[in-house]
Amino acid sequence: MARRGENLAGGNSSIADAVQGWLESAEHCENLMDAKFGDVAVACVAQPGTQWGTYWTMVLARK
C-alpha cells in the first residue's frame, strides 16, 4: 500500500530552522517520525517580496 505525507513551512532561513519547526509541531513531527515512510524529498523556493520569503516542502512516501 502506497503511503504519503507532506510538511510545509514558510519564512525559515535554513533547512535546520524548517526541520526544528516541524519537530515542534505535533502534526508535522508525527509525519517525520512515522516509520511507515521510507523516502523523503525536501525543496525550498525563495520568493522575495512575498509574505514568508522562503517556502519549504517536505514530501514523505513509501511505495
Side-chain angles (χ1 to χ4, degrees):
M1 173 173 76
R3 184 168 175 86
R4 56 202 159 276
E6 180 180 66
N7 287 339
L8 304 173
N12 306 91
S13 60
S14 70
I15 185 61
D17 290 341
V19 171
Q20 186 63 41
W22 291 326
L23 290 171
E24 293 172 1
S25 162
E27 294 84 6
H28 294 99
C29 188
E30 186 177 338
N31 274 345
L32 283 168
M33 300 302 168
D34 191 334
K36 293 178 184 169
F37 294 128
D39 303 297
V40 63
V42 178
C44 179
V45 175
Q47 293 291 313
T50 63
Q51 181 178 358
W52 300 106
T54 56
Y55 299 86
W56 296 86
T57 301
M58 172 186 278
V59 178
L60 304 124
R62 169 143 302 161
K63 284 187 178 182

